[in-house]
Amino acid sequence: MKSKLAVLWLSLAYVCLPAYAQVIKTPDINIGTGSLKNRVCLYDGKAYSLGSILQVGRVYLECVPEKSIEKNGKLMWKQIKD
């Protein structure tokens, strides 16, 4: 008898619960993941790869890893000292 009641209860829950379910549609969001695949340094709206060197006035900048221990981390501009 208990197993029949359990089956009946589960059957009713299966039929009735979807009526109470609410579907929420969220908008698509583009976070620009294409640029995340390429490690680059940015300057003046242009992308430069690892090892690139720029002269800005009298200063030279090199595109280097932000953290020396990471092999696939962010890049940054570092001033080249004389």
Side-chain angles (χ1 to χ4, degrees), residues 4-48:
K4 288 184 181 180
L5 284 175
V7 170
L8 178 63
W9 186 84
L10 288 174
S11 299
L12 286 174
Y14 181 76
V15 172
C16 296
L17 285 180
Y20 294 105
Q22 185 178 17
V23 176
I24 300 172
K25 180 132 174 94
T26 58
D28 294 333
I29 299 173
N30 183 2
I31 60 169
T33 57
S35 64
L36 296 177
K37 296 175 187 172
N38 301 325
R39 295 177 8 153
V40 295
C41 290
L42 298 174
Y43 182 80
D44 197 25
K46 297 176 186 169
Y48 294 86

Side-chain angles (χ1 to χ4, degrees), residues 4 17 21 28 40 45 51 53 57 62 64-65 68-69 71 73 76 79:
K4 288 184 181 180
L17 285 180
D28 294 333
V40 295
I53 297 175
E62 182 179 9
V64 297
S68 60
I69 60 170
K71 299 211 182 276
M76 68 172 197
Q79 183 177 352

